[in-house]
Amino acid sequence: MTETRPHPRKSPYPLWFFIPAAIIYGVLFLFPTISSLWYSLTRWDLSTAQFIGLENFQQFFSEPFLVKGLVNTLIYAVTTSGLKTVCGLLLAVLLTSNIFARGFLRTLVFFPVLVSTIGIGITFTVMMHPTKGIINVTLETLGMPGPGWLTNPALALFSVALVDVWKGVGLATLIFIAGLAAISPDYYEAARIDGATRLQQFFRITLPLVRPATVIVVTLSLIGGLRSFDLIWAMTRGGPGFSSDVIASVIYKQYQAGFYGLSTAGNVILFALIAVIILPFTLWFNRREVEE
Amino acid sequence: MRSVRPYLTGAIALAVAAVVFVMPFVFVALQAVKSKSEASRLDFELPEHWLFWDNLVAVFKARDYQLVLAYFNSTLITVVSVAILILLSAMVGYVMQRRKTAWNRVAFAALFMGLMMPPAVVPTIGLLQDIGLFKTMTGMILIQVAYNLSFSVLLYRSFISTIPRDLDEAALIDGAKPRQIFFRVVLPLLKPVTVTNIVVQSIAIFNDFTNPLYYLPGKENVTVQLTLYNFQSMYSSQYNLLFMNILLVTIPPLIVFIFFNRQIVAGMTSGGVKG
């Protein structure tokens, strides 16, 4: 691809092109991120920060509702990521097969990706109303009384996760469609001649060869799920009780309450969580990629 | 050999998609044109009187024309930050792809971090206060640039690898200055990925809720997404107006989508899968 050649004394690719972006990015993203490591160890009122060691973290892990936020974040991320990957792949297989109205269907599935998350959150909150919402009204007409989607503490987090999948599956589908398009039809041809069934073709050819796309979808949706805030905030505000609180909503609540140090500790915990989950996954994938 | 199977599967898929993906939008549109009492039933009945215009005017008039201000603010933030974003990320992506220096590794690591890590909000608020940009449009615009830079740069970088270096060299031999090579030769060739970038980023920034919530509080700074959030409690008894607001907020991305559907799809997939 790109061979490294000796640079002429004055390169036609000026390094100052980096500078404006580096200043904005460095000052407004990198610097706060790094300084959060310090502020998370302080009692802080935005003007004076008093060093208190690991007290914020101790408090975070000793409050049951804060720990619940951590657990919920993991549940939410795994649920949404898993469902988006599976549904996205199945939809992509369907939407690359030879069916009627294929282009229109692709458009339909992708559209929610572009719509306001808050708008979707409010809409589904109304549709999930326990007695008046059209979801439960429809279920009742079919003879199945529906649950309190957002009012039942055991269910609220999963209801929001389902809406998240509804909104985001179009992006996963799109990435899988691109991945499927890169698989040579020769493989399927050969498999058909050897008498492989459709199911065998899916598991032996499609699934292994679509892996780069799978990794992208899983990584993106895991990161998105771990950071998720706006949909949860629009639909439940973390409730009922603290049953659907995630780290991002805990960060916001602690910020609102004026516990800036604790809020920042929440941020650092979220950094750590993302690093611990995503980095090994990326490294593992890259190594397998090299081996092959 | 023609078979009915594609039509049958297609028809079933269409029916399911209509229920799952279309119905919620129909629901929004339907509530938005009803009267207050009809909308409070939250059902799928057609309205007795279509109050599209009345509800539209009522929503715009609410809270001293707050929605008008919100549209102005959201549009300003979106247009200016996307413009800055495009220029800066094309420059970075270009040099990153063309010139292999130690700085590349640094830049790549930093950008990768930006893709993964959530911003540290409270330290950022503290910083914005210190430099006098908290609760200002300028601050919000610069934040949007900083937070969306990684994605833009990586999109540009992968696209620039498809443009032959011979072009740069030809321009160089013709006596073009480095700046001219970029602005006169390369930048015009980046048009497809620029369009993708503009579309994707403007939708993301227009729809952003979390960052304005943190960095742009205050009535005069309201954005479109924040009006929705504020109206949610205010209109809990006036679903017709709440849904009219949702409808209005959904229209800009819909328009963008209708015009650029193909480009979004092409851009996202080429940038995503080929890395």
Side-chain angles (χ1 to χ4, degrees):
Chain A
M1 254 235 324
T2 45
E3 71 263 54
T4 32
R5 35 183 113 176
H7 294 294
R9 186 152 301 157
K10 197 157 172 8
S11 164
Y13 309 115
L15 281 178
W16 70 260
F17 270 33
F18 281 151
I19 292 172
I23 291 173
I24 296 178
Y25 189 71
V27 172
L28 291 175
F29 181 78
L30 291 179
F31 175 74
T33 303
I34 293 162
S35 69
S36 69
L37 299 176
W38 155 253
Y39 284 120
S40 67
L41 303 174
T42 64
R43 188 173 291 120
W44 182 31
D45 62 6
L46 284 181
S47 53
T48 52
Q50 181 200 351
F51 183 77
I52 53 166
L54 293 173
E55 221 172 273
N56 285 325
F57 293 93
Q58 257 165 16
Q59 195 186 345
F60 193 101
F61 287 108
S62 61
E63 297 273 9
F65 70 93
L66 296 179
V67 177
K68 179 142 182 101
L70 185 65
V71 176
N72 279 346
T73 306
L74 287 170
I75 295 175
Y76 188 86
V78 171
T79 312
T80 51
S81 172
L83 284 175
K84 280 179 192 173
T85 309
V86 173
C87 299
L89 180 57
L90 294 180
L91 277 170
V93 169
L94 177 74
L95 296 180
T96 46
S97 69
N98 176 27
I99 64 164
F100 173 66
R102 193 168 69 178
F104 180 68
L105 282 167
R106 286 184 186 182
T107 306
L108 226 51
V109 173
F110 186 67
F111 183 59
V113 174
L114 306 176
V115 178
S116 152
T117 309
I118 301 297
I120 282 178
I122 296 173
T123 306
F124 273 90
T125 307
V126 168
M127 298 202 307
M128 285 175 166
H129 190 281
T131 52
K132 290 202 289 184
I134 48 163
I135 294 180
N136 278 3
V137 170
T138 313
L139 286 176
E140 207 144 323
T141 340
L142 298 172
M144 296 179 285
W149 297 100
L150 299 170
T151 48
N152 179 347
L155 209 62
L157 187 70
F158 292 99
S159 303
V160 181
L162 279 183
V163 178
D164 195 329
V165 174
W166 180 88
K167 178 170 162 51
V169 76
L171 186 60
T173 308
L174 190 69
I175 296 171
F176 275 124
I177 286 176
L180 291 175
I183 300 175
S184 158
D186 297 350
Y187 292 110
Y188 294 101
E189 183 102 5
R192 264 199 301 276
I193 292 168
D194 290 347
T197 65
R198 285 237 167 178
L199 217 57
Q200 282 173 324
Q201 288 176 31
F202 177 79
F203 282 105
R204 298 286 171 78
I205 302 173
T206 310
L207 211 51
L209 289 179
V210 84
R211 216 190 57 209
T214 313
V215 171
I216 291 168
V217 170
V218 172
T219 315
L220 280 182
S221 56
L222 265 179
I223 294 174
L226 291 168
R227 294 172 56 164
S228 186
F229 170 72
D230 43 8
L231 191 65
I232 292 171
W233 196 249
M235 292 187 72
T236 65
R237 306 273 198 280
F242 303 104
S243 62
S244 64
D245 254 328
V246 291
I247 296 184
S249 64
V250 167
I251 293 172
Y252 184 65
K253 284 179 178 176
Q254 300 301 328
Y255 160 69
Q256 269 191 319
F259 297 118
Y260 299 131
L262 192 58
S263 175
T264 307
N267 239 322
V268 172
I269 292 168
L270 188 52
F271 292 158
L273 199 63
I274 291 177
V276 163
I277 294 174
I278 303 297
L279 281 182
F281 183 73
T282 323
L283 291 176
W284 168 81
F285 171 72
N286 285 338
R287 203 171 52 225
R288 283 196 55 178
E289 190 83 314
V290 173
E291 275 167 17
E292 275 163 20
Chain B
M1 194 186 84
R2 291 175 63 92
S3 90
V4 285
R5 227 186 121 147
Y7 288 93
L8 194 66
T9 348
I12 295 169
L14 266 179
V16 174
V19 173
V20 176
F21 288 104
V22 179
M23 200 197 62
F25 293 107
V26 175
F27 180 75
V28 170
L30 210 54
Q31 306 310 313
V33 296
K34 287 184 181 178
S35 70
K36 184 181 161 189
S37 63
E38 279 181 320
S40 70
R41 288 202 297 270
L42 303 177
D43 57 21
F44 255 97
E45 300 281 313
L46 285 177
E48 213 170 297
H49 303 286
W50 294 69
L51 299 175
F52 177 80
W53 190 249
D54 300 31
N55 290 346
L56 185 79
V57 171
V59 169
F60 271 112
K61 275 189 177 163
R63 291 192 172 180
D64 280 339
Y65 294 92
Q66 203 187 46
L67 194 58
V68 181
L69 179 66
Y71 262 102
F72 175 78
N73 287 343
S74 285
T75 310
L76 185 72
I77 294 170
T78 307
V79 170
V80 179
S81 41
V82 170
I84 300 176
L85 206 48
I86 293 300
L87 182 64
L88 297 191
S89 51
M91 286 163 67
V92 173
Y94 170 67
V95 177
M96 257 180 104
Q97 202 281 322
R98 290 298 203 241
R99 188 171 173 179
K100 308 289 174 200
T101 65
W103 286 107
N104 268 329
R105 297 182 77 95
V106 178
F108 196 81
L111 292 173
F112 190 67
M113 193 169 145
L115 276 185
M116 286 193 355
M117 293 302 177
V121 279
V122 192
T124 311
I125 290 171
L127 179 86
L128 287 173
Q129 281 183 349
D130 288 344
I131 55 180
L133 291 179
F134 186 53
K135 296 190 195 180
T136 65
M137 286 290 162
T138 315
M140 190 69 247
I141 287 167
L142 292 175
I143 287 280
Q144 294 292 13
V145 173
Y147 289 2
N148 293 294
L149 200 69
S150 302
F151 178 78
S152 270
V153 169
L154 296 176
L155 212 56
Y156 269 117
R157 186 173 154 271
S158 65
F159 188 88
I160 288 165
S161 65
T162 66
I163 294 178
R165 261 167 186 268
D166 305 345
L167 278 175
D168 314 358
E169 270 147 32
L172 195 66
I173 291 166
D174 286 348
K177 294 195 179 72
R179 204 166 7 101
Q180 290 171 322
I181 301 178
F182 176 72
F183 286 101
R184 299 267 178 85
V185 180
V186 177
L187 201 55
L189 291 172
L190 300 181
K191 203 174 143 202
V193 71
T194 300
V195 173
T196 304
N197 243 323
I198 291 175
V199 171
V200 172
Q201 299 289 20
S202 52
I203 287 176
I205 294 172
F206 187 85
N207 280 339
D208 185 18
F209 165 73
T210 314
N211 295 315
L213 181 72
Y214 276 119
Y215 307 126
L216 207 56
K219 234 169 65 181
E220 67 286 0
N221 290 325
V222 73
T223 67
V224 168
Q225 305 302 322
L226 283 175
T227 59
L228 210 49
Y229 175 70
N230 297 338
F231 287 179
Q232 189 182 8
S233 44
M234 182 183 160
Y235 286 154
S236 57
S237 61
Q238 284 175 288
Y239 281 113
N240 52 342
L241 300 189
L242 183 61
F243 280 101
M244 177 52 83
N245 199 343
I246 296 178
L247 190 66
L248 290 174
V249 168
T250 310
I251 287 172
L254 180 67
I255 294 172
V256 170
F257 183 61
I258 290 168
F259 282 105
F260 296 106
N261 186 7
R262 238 166 248 282
Q263 233 122 8
I264 305 174
V265 173
M268 298 284 269
T269 49
S270 70
V273 176
K274 286 165 204 154

